[in-house]
Amino acid sequence: MKEIVLTRIDDRLIHGQVMTSWLNYTGANKIMVIDNGTANDTFMKTVLKNAVPSNVGLGLFTVEKAAARLKKGFKQGDKVIILVKYPDTVLSLIEEGVEFEHLNIGGMGAAPGREKFYKNISATEEEKEVLKKIIQSGCKTEIQIIAEDAKVDVSKLL
C-alpha cells in the first residue's frame, strides 16, 4: 500500500514529534489511529482531533475496523500515517491479512513490566516476542524517534 507513508508504534499517539517532524517529512494528509481503547473513548477522540492540523484528516479505529479499512485501500493522492500504541496491534492487523513493509518504533515508554532495550524505548518480554513475529512476517522494523534520526534495526536488538 503505497499510500501508507508511515506505520508507527508510539504510546503517546499524536503529539509534538508526530505533528512537526513526521507530518512534514512524509507530507501525510491523513492519520489513522488504531487502538481499541482510544476508538471507544469519546474524550480521547476529542483530544486527538484537536491536536491535528485542520488540513489533515483523522480517523480512529478499532483493530477490526482498521483491518477492513486497510484492505479496502485508499484513494490516489492519500498519504496516510498509521499510529498504534502497542506492537500487538500491528501483529493483530498482520494476522487479519494486512501487510506492512516497514514499522517505525517511536515511543514505547517505561511502564510496569517493561525494561529499557534501546535509549528511551522499553518493552516487556511479551512485546519483544511480538516484535520478533512482526519481523518474521517480513516487516522491516526500526527505531526512529524523529525523521532526522538515524534508523536502528530492531532485529539486531532482540
Side-chain angles (χ1 to χ4, degrees):
M1 282 183 269
K2 65 180 191 260
E3 295 85 8
I4 296 174
V5 294
L6 177 68
T7 301
R8 178 177 170 95
I9 298 171
D10 194 325
D11 52 23
R12 301 162 293 181
L13 295 174
I14 297 172
H15 59 93
Q17 288 175 336
V18 171
M19 291 299 94
T20 55
S21 177
W22 289 108
L23 275 176
N24 290 335
Y25 181 78
T26 62
N29 58 6
K30 293 186 186 290
I31 297 175
M32 187 175 187
V33 172
I34 305 170
D35 181 69
N36 290 344
T38 306
N40 293 308
D41 184 329
T42 306
F43 176 73
M44 279 307 299
K45 284 182 182 180
T46 302
V47 169
L48 293 174
K49 286 179 182 178
N50 288 325
V52 175
S54 60
N55 63 330
V56 176
L58 174 67
L60 292 104
F61 296 83
T62 62
V63 172
E64 183 181 339
K65 288 184 179 177
R69 179 68 186 93
L70 288 164
K71 288 177 192 175
K72 179 181 169 188
F74 298 92
K75 64 182 182 201
Q76 190 172 358
D78 281 347
K79 291 184 177 184
V80 182
I81 291 176
I82 295 173
L83 296 173
V84 304
K85 285 186 173 185
Y86 310 108
D88 63 344
T89 302
V90 176
L91 184 59
S92 294
L93 290 165
I94 291 169
E95 290 169 347
E96 290 285 330
V98 178
E99 293 181 19
F100 295 100
E101 290 181 30
H102 295 94
L103 176 62
N104 167 282
I105 299 176
M108 289 176 59
R114 279 187 172 173
E115 293 180 6
K116 180 176 153 180
F117 84 98
Y118 182 81
K119 294 188 178 180
N120 63 338
I121 305 296
S122 300
T124 64
E125 287 304 315
E126 293 81 12
E127 287 171 325
K128 289 178 185 177
E129 290 303 313
V130 168
L131 289 170
K132 287 178 187 176
K133 289 177 183 175
I134 291 169
I135 292 166
Q136 289 167 356
S137 80
C139 179
K140 184 160 182 63
T141 303
E142 300 165 323
I143 295 171
Q144 188 179 18
I145 309 303
I146 58 173
E148 295 78 13
D149 288 347
K151 297 175 183 178
V152 176
D153 186 345
V154 172
S155 68
K156 295 184 172 145
L157 302 174
L158 297 173

